[in-house]
């Protein structure tokens, strides 16, 4: 005979009456069909019966089947969807190895399998036996790793979090007969992680239950003392509350307010916490006696408040308007404390039915109201902004830039994430490769725009420092600080995320016409001076960039819509042609039987005539891509070529993956002068940059003035393009104590 929890409806043979259980579930949530849920119940039950170890656990009261039903009941009260209920029923069977994940995916589908997988990732979380107020930053490395797993699971799907909350609620409910050590371990975890999580999600009744049960096992004496005081006054309190409900209902009806008045029990942990916070005794807690008024509209809330204050004297400083100023989790209600009948202190909460559902169900109320007429309420994503940090680009950006941002953000989503902390200890997740500037713009646009420096773990770092998981980031701001054009230079690595880069570009676009021209001109002149380019032919540049005047070029550079590197690529076109490449040295990366569609399919793909595109002229070692026009052949473009990007979007079926396979490489010899204050490691740092850029050094000469300790380095280099040289010189210029970096000898470069 199977032993199950007593609160599940049973048949005469002692087994769960699934039909009766489903009827009870449907009081909370409307199910399109019960067939799949019945199938899940059957699968979980049979898995339980077929596992010998599970049968022993069942006798001990730890049934995965019973726990699954209980989890589903909790989620039904939260009005979650059909798939979440099915995943909850199956979860413990999968976790305990009684049912395989493969079977779940085959029988119940990928969506339910992914929900269970997400909850399993969160099952790795455990909390160390530290004080509840210990900072996250003080935890051991394994703790940090577990917090990271939790965050990843939450970002994937909020329903995963809710299923996990239901599972932890069941776990702490079942601790009555557990050992004291296990009670404290589970209670510590629930109190430190899951009760705050329920609070953040606005799920009031789950939060209160988790707090009370955790408090019961972590502070048993205090819990019992407050519970006994409440029990000792229960009959008196019940009688008092009954009188208040009757009187309030009568007065509200007289005021023509359609209201539902109920009594509300104060949960034990909140009483204890308030006693500690205010350093008062039990009798000085004002909201032990409490009633709640539910009304149809916000107008009725304030009208009801007038009725309450007309009946009884209001206690000063004990009124909170959370409708006008909601809490951080969007909790809304009116709270007031009055001297009720017999001069006994009474708390009154007043809210609409919708506010009540949000207070009890939190984010789950979204599913209930999303099809209704409550369109003006905060969106589901807004309530989870702390969790998911949704990028509302559509409201901030427009035009063709959106498609690029979406592609880049999708790439970021596939990359490994890093988890860093604010000075207050809040976790922020970013794409791996993010910098302090990315962090600043992630926090707030204004923080990024006024950033003048950053500290990592209390130490000043460069703004292109690569963030690592576990670091604490502090952004230093100044009112007069503004974005720098160098932030947009991809060679300098200041910005990694598409969102931050878009924010900087947006800032520059919003500046005046004159400002953008002035800044663009400065950038171009600085770069031409550094590269020792005396004069340039603007006509081919204007044609390539599709601009009419030189001022237009200055403005485009100054607004961030065109990079200096694009300009250098144009100038490169006017330089002497390098040695011709052998087109056979470009190989099409194409799997057998996977020929491109359209016109290419009828040709021998690997024997196509390939030509280097004149718009970007990629050189060996540059990342390249192929475009096969209907006219025949394949044009080889640089992957970042501006001309190629529209082709990628319009003709995706005619794009080929290509790569270099040992083509000849033409290099240009150049002389570079570096002037700097002499310091230890200067030459090492310079040569490290050259090595990273794969630039060959053919000669080095160093001169140091002993009088003023100024060092001058003369280097002979071999570069393949102006773009490569410009990026290298800019990185050298960013080294400490560098005074000047400039190309000296023009030679073949112009």
């Amino acid at each position: 005979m199977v032993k199950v929890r007593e609160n599940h409806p049973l048949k005469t043979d002692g087994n769960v009456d699934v039909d009766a259980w489903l009827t009870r579930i449907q009081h909370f949530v409307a199910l399109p069909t019960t067939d799949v849920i019945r199938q899940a119940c059957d699968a979980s039950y049979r898995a339980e019966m077929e596992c010998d170890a599970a049968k022993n656990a069942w006798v001990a009261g730890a049934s995965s089947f019973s726990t699954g039903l209980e989890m589903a009941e909790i989620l039904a009260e939260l009005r979650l969807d059909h798939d979440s209920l099915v995943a909850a029923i199956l979860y413990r069977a999968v976790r305990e190895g009684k049912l395989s994940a493969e079977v779940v995916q085959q029988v119940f589908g990928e969506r339910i399998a992914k929900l269970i997988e997400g909850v399993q990732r969160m099952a790795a979380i455990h909390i160390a036996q530290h004080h509840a107020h210990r900072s996250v930053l003080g935890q051991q490395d394994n703790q940090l790793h577990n917090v990271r797993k939790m965050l990843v699971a939450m970002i994937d799907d909020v329903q995963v979090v809710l299923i996990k909350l239901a599972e932890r609620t069941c776990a702490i409910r079942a601790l009555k007969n557990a050992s004291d050590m296990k009670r404290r371990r589970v209670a510590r975890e629930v109190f430190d992680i899951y009760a705050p999580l329920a609070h953040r999600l606005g799920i009031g009744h789950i939060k209160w239950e988790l707090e009370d049960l955790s408090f019961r096992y972590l502070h048993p004496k205090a819990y019992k003392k407050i519970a006994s005081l409440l029990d000792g006054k229960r009959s008196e309190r019940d009688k008092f509350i009954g009188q208040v409900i009757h009187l309030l209902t009568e007065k509200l009806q007289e005021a023509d307010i359609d209201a539902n008045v109920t009594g509300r029990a104060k949960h034990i942990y909140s009483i204890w916490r308030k006693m500690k916070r205010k350093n008062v005794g039990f009798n000085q807690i004002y909201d032990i006696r409490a009633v709640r008024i539910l009304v149809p509209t916000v107008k009725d809330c304030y009208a009801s408040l007038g009725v309450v204050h007309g009946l009884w004297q209001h206690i000063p400083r004990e009124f909170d308007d959370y409708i006008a100023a909601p809490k951080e989790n969007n909790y809304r209600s009116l709270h007031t404390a009055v001297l009720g009948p017999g001069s006994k202190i009474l708390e009154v909460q007043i809210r609409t039915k919708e506010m009540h559902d949000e207070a009890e169900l939190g984010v789950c109320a979204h599913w209930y109201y999303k099809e209704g007429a409550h369109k003006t309420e905060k969106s589901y994503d807004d309530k989870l902004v702390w969790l998911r940090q949704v990028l509302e680009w559509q409201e901030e950006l427009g035009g063709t830039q959106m498609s690029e941002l979406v592609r880049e953000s999708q790439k970021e989503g596939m990359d490994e994430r890093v988890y860093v902390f604010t000075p207050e200890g809040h976790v922020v997740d970013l794409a791996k490769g993010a910098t302090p500037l990315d962090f600043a713009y992630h926090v707030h646009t204004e923080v990024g725009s006024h950033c003048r420096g950053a500290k990592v773990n209390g130490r000043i770092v460069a703004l292109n420092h690569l963030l690592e998981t576990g670091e604490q980031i502090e952004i230093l701001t100044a009112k007069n600080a503004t974005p720098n054009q160098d932030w947009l230079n991809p060679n300098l690595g200041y910005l990694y995320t598409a969102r931050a880069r878009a924010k900087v570009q947006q800032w520059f676009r919003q500046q005046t016409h004159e400002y953008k021209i002035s800044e663009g001109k400065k950038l171009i002149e600085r770069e031409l001076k550094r590269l020792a380019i005396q004069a340039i032919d603007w006509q081919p540049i204007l044609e390539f960039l599709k601009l009419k005047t030189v001022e237009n070029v200055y403005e485009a550079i100054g607004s961030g819509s065109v990079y200096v590197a694009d300009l250098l690529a144009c100038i490169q076109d006017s330089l002497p042609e390098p040695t011709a490449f052998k087109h056979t040295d470009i190989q099409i990366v194409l799997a057998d039987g996977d020929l491109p569609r359209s016109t290419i399919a009828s040709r021998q793909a690997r024997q196509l005539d390939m030509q280097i595109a004149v718009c970007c002229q990629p050189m060996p070692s540059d990342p390249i891509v192929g475009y096969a026009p209907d006219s025949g052949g394949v044009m080889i473009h640089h992957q970042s070529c501006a001309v190629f990007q529209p082709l990628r979007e319009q003709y995706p079926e005619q794009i080929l993956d290509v790569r270099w396979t040992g083509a000849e490489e033409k290099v240009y010899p150049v002389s570079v002068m570096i002037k700097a204050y002499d310091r230890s490691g200067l030459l090492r740092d310079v040569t490290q940059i050259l090595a990273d850029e794969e630039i060959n050094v053919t000669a080095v000469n160093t001169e140091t003035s002993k009088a003023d300790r100024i060092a001058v380095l003369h280097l002979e280099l071999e570069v393949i393009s102006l773009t490569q040289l410009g990026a290298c010189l800019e990185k050298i210029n960013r080294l400490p104590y560098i005074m000047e970096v400039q190309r000296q000898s023009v030679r073949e470069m112009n």
Side-chain angles (χ1 to χ4, degrees):
M1 187 65 66
V2 177
K3 181 180 179 181
V4 296
R5 290 190 181 276
E6 294 180 356
N7 63 343
H8 293 148
L10 304 179
K11 298 179 182 177
T12 55
D13 62 1
N15 287 313
V16 174
D17 186 338
V18 175
D19 289 332
W21 180 81
L22 279 169
T23 299
R24 188 163 70 185
I25 290 294
Q26 288 177 294
H27 285 309
F28 300 101
V29 59
L31 298 172
T33 176
T34 60
D35 294 344
V36 179
I37 291 183
R38 289 176 188 275
Q39 189 179 7
C41 291
D42 182 60
S44 178
Y45 178 78
R46 283 189 288 103
E48 184 96 34
M49 295 297 95
E50 293 170 1
C51 180
D52 293 337
K55 290 180 182 179
N56 293 333
W58 187 291
V59 174
S63 160
S64 59
F65 173 60
S66 177
T67 301
L69 296 184
E70 187 177 1
M71 288 171 59
E73 287 178 7
I74 293 171
L75 297 178
E77 291 175 11
L78 295 177
R79 296 168 182 162
L80 256 67
D81 63 7
H82 175 273
D83 287 352
S84 299
L85 301 186
V86 173
I89 293 168
L90 299 172
Y91 169 69
R92 285 298 289 266
V94 174
R95 177 181 169 182
E96 295 173 12
K98 302 169 186 176
L99 191 64
S100 72
E102 291 76 14
V103 169
V104 170
Q105 182 163 347
Q106 291 172 4
V107 177
F108 297 97
E110 184 177 0
R111 166 66 176 154
I112 290 169
K114 283 189 173 181
L115 285 173
I116 294 174
E117 179 188 0
V119 183
Q120 284 184 298
R121 288 206 307 270
M122 291 188 73
I125 302 168
H126 65 281
I127 198 73
Q129 300 304 311
H130 294 306
H131 192 275
H133 291 241
R134 179 166 180 168
S135 168
V136 176
L137 290 173
Q139 295 177 13
Q140 298 174 355
D141 290 343
N142 62 330
Q143 289 298 309
L144 190 58
H145 185 60
N146 290 332
V147 170
R148 176 179 172 176
K149 287 185 177 181
M150 179 180 72
L151 290 171
V152 171
M154 289 191 288
I155 292 167
D156 285 346
D157 194 331
V158 70
Q159 287 168 283
V160 167
V161 189
L162 298 172
I163 297 172
K164 184 61 183 178
L165 275 176
E167 189 271 336
R168 287 292 85 189
T169 303
C170 294
I172 199 166
R173 285 176 180 176
L175 289 179
K176 185 177 180 180
N177 299 318
S179 66
D180 184 62
M181 181 180 295
K182 182 176 180 180
R183 286 179 178 180
R184 294 186 65 83
R185 177 177 58 80
V186 175
R188 180 86 272 159
E189 175 190 9
V190 167
F191 185 85
D192 285 343
I193 294 179
Y194 295 102
L197 182 56
H199 169 71
R200 279 295 212 165
L201 296 172
I203 309 173
H205 74 286
I206 293 292
K207 173 214 172 198
W208 297 330
E209 180 177 2
L210 295 180
E211 285 181 340
D212 272 2
L213 290 175
S214 300
F215 181 59
R216 176 181 181 180
Y217 297 125
L218 293 174
H219 300 279
K221 291 182 180 179
Y223 179 91
K224 289 178 181 177
K225 181 178 180 180
I226 295 175
S228 65
L229 289 170
L230 287 172
D231 289 341
K233 298 177 180 291
R234 184 174 298 278
S235 59
E236 175 193 343
R237 190 171 66 253
D238 289 347
K239 182 179 179 181
F240 176 85
I241 292 297
Q243 293 172 348
V244 169
I245 290 174
H246 177 76
L247 179 59
L248 263 179
T249 302
E250 187 177 87
K251 294 298 181 180
L252 290 168
Q253 286 176 346
E254 290 176 4
D256 199 25
I257 299 173
D258 180 17
N260 179 29
V261 186
T262 60
R264 179 186 64 83
K266 181 74 174 175
H267 73 294
I268 293 174
Y269 171 70
S270 67
I271 294 175
W272 177 83
R273 182 178 58 189
K274 186 170 288 189
M275 289 168 61
K276 291 292 184 182
R277 187 176 71 247
K278 295 190 173 184
N279 194 27
V280 297
F282 179 82
N283 291 329
Q284 292 174 278
I285 301 300
Y286 295 157
D287 54 355
I288 291 174
R289 302 178 186 88
V291 294
R292 179 176 293 142
I293 301 172
L294 301 184
V295 293
T297 67
V298 172
K299 180 181 177 181
D300 292 332
C301 289
Y302 290 98
S304 300
L305 180 67
V307 172
V308 172
H309 285 175
L311 275 173
W312 301 299
Q313 180 183 346
H314 166 241
I315 299 174
R317 296 184 298 277
E318 292 297 329
F319 170 70
D320 294 295
D321 187 347
Y322 295 121
I323 295 178
K327 291 186 178 181
E328 62 178 4
N329 60 357
N330 204 40
Y331 173 85
R332 295 176 299 157
S333 185
L334 297 178
H335 289 196
T336 187
V338 296
L339 291 175
S343 295
K344 293 180 179 178
I345 295 171
L346 171 71
E347 185 194 59
V348 182
Q349 294 183 358
I350 308 170
R351 61 180 70 146
T352 66
K353 178 65 168 61
E354 182 178 343
M355 292 175 192
H356 178 67
D357 284 340
E358 288 186 340
E360 296 294 306
L361 306 179
V363 297
C364 310
H366 164 75
W367 285 285
Y368 184 68
Y369 283 105
K370 67 180 178 180
E371 300 300 333
H374 306 275
K375 303 296 184 183
T376 60
E377 299 301 320
K378 277 183 175 287
S379 71
Y380 169 69
D381 285 332
D382 286 339
K383 295 182 70 175
L384 293 179
V385 66
W386 67 276
L387 179 67
R388 305 182 68 176
Q389 297 293 319
V390 175
L391 308 181
E392 298 177 347
W393 284 333
Q394 288 87 343
E395 297 180 6
E396 303 163 351
L397 303 168
T400 58
Q401 208 172 15
M402 276 304 300
S403 59
E404 178 187 351
L405 289 174
V406 170
R407 286 196 300 272
E408 292 196 43
S409 63
Q410 288 172 342
K411 175 183 179 297
E412 290 169 11
M414 294 185 289
D415 290 343
E416 187 179 354
R417 312 291 290 180
V418 293
Y419 296 86
V420 295
F421 297 91
T422 68
E424 294 77 26
H426 300 302
V427 178
V428 174
D429 74 287
L430 296 164
K432 189 173 181 62
T435 67
L437 269 179
D438 291 305
F439 173 88
Y441 277 102
H442 184 91
V443 171
H444 196 279
T445 302
E446 289 302 307
V447 175
S449 295
H450 293 290
C451 175
R452 64 175 178 85
K455 288 184 178 180
V456 171
N457 296 334
R459 180 176 58 88
I460 295 286
V461 299
L463 290 178
N464 56 3
H465 167 85
L466 293 183
L467 300 181
E468 296 291 339
T469 293
E471 292 179 333
Q472 185 184 47
I473 317 302
E474 179 184 356
I475 299 300
L476 307 176
T477 60
K479 289 184 179 180
N480 60 349
T482 58
N484 190 315
Q485 274 283 354
D486 287 340
W487 294 358
L488 293 173
N489 188 333
N491 297 316
L492 301 181
Y494 284 109
L495 298 169
Y496 179 79
T497 62
R499 180 183 189 233
R501 187 161 52 254
K503 292 285 189 180
V504 176
Q505 290 172 329
Q506 182 187 27
W507 187 91
F508 281 108
R509 286 199 306 273
Q510 291 173 345
Q511 304 312 302
T512 65
H513 175 71
E514 292 74 15
Y515 176 88
K516 287 182 278 191
I517 291 176
S518 173
E519 288 298 303
K521 186 175 182 180
K522 287 180 192 175
L523 285 171
I524 293 173
E525 289 177 349
R526 184 185 70 179
E527 197 66 14
L528 295 181
K529 179 181 178 183
R530 177 184 295 158
L531 296 174
I533 299 175
Q534 304 300 325
I536 57 176
D537 183 0
W538 285 102
Q539 191 56 40
I541 294 174
L542 295 174
E543 292 175 0
F544 174 69
L545 296 177
K546 294 182 173 57
L547 297 173
K548 294 181 179 180
T549 68
V550 176
E551 274 199 351
N552 293 151
V553 178
Y554 292 155
E555 184 177 9
I557 296 287
S559 67
S561 58
V562 174
Y563 298 146
V564 173
D566 299 327
L567 187 69
L568 294 181
C570 295
I571 296 173
Q572 183 75 42
D573 291 344
S574 64
L575 301 180
E577 285 291 322
T579 301
F581 305 133
K582 295 180 180 179
H583 291 173
T584 54
D585 287 332
I586 301 176
Q587 176 184 345
I588 296 178
V589 182
L590 195 64
D592 290 335
D594 189 24
L595 293 176
R597 298 185 296 276
S598 186
T599 58
I600 304 176
S602 62
R603 295 182 250 155
Q604 296 295 318
R606 289 175 177 78
Q607 297 177 5
L608 293 173
D609 177 30
M610 286 179 267
Q611 300 178 25
I612 301 297
V614 296
C615 52
C616 53
Q617 288 197 331
M619 307 184 96
S621 81
D622 283 345
I624 54 175
V625 67
Y627 166 63
D630 292 340
S631 57
V634 174
M635 299 300 297
I636 305 301
H637 290 266
H638 193 290
Q639 284 187 2
S640 63
C641 174
V643 174
F644 171 73
Q645 300 309 319
L647 300 176
R648 183 195 294 274
E649 295 181 6
Q650 295 176 29
Y651 310 106
E653 72 279 1
Q654 294 177 225
I655 306 305
L656 296 175
D657 288 333
V658 295
R659 65 185 177 202
W660 300 104
T661 56
E664 293 182 15
E665 183 171 308
K666 177 65 176 180
V667 294
Y668 300 98
V670 295
S671 294
V672 170
M673 183 276 294
I674 302 171
K675 188 177 181 180
Y677 292 105
D678 191 27
R679 64 173 176 85
S680 176
L682 174 62
L683 183 59
R684 178 201 62 206
D685 292 345
V686 169
T687 54
Q688 182 62 56
I689 289 176
L690 295 171
D692 292 342
E693 293 295 309
E694 298 182 353
I695 293 176
N696 187 39
V697 181
T698 58
V700 177
N701 180 40
T702 303
E703 301 173 0
T704 303
S705 170
K706 294 183 179 180
D708 52 18
R709 302 296 299 171
I710 292 178
V712 178
L713 283 66
H714 296 276
L715 297 92
E716 297 291 333
L717 311 176
E718 292 180 340
V719 299
I720 60 173
S721 69
L722 283 175
T723 304
Q724 184 191 38
L725 178 60
C728 172
L729 298 187
E730 182 61 40
K731 289 181 179 180
I732 293 174
N733 193 51
R734 295 284 165 175
L735 290 174
Y737 304 112
I738 295 293
M739 301 170 64
E740 183 182 357
V741 180
Q742 188 168 330
R743 174 186 170 213
Q744 284 189 307
S745 176
V746 177
R747 296 194 183 181
E748 291 185 45
M749 291 290 288
N750 67 13

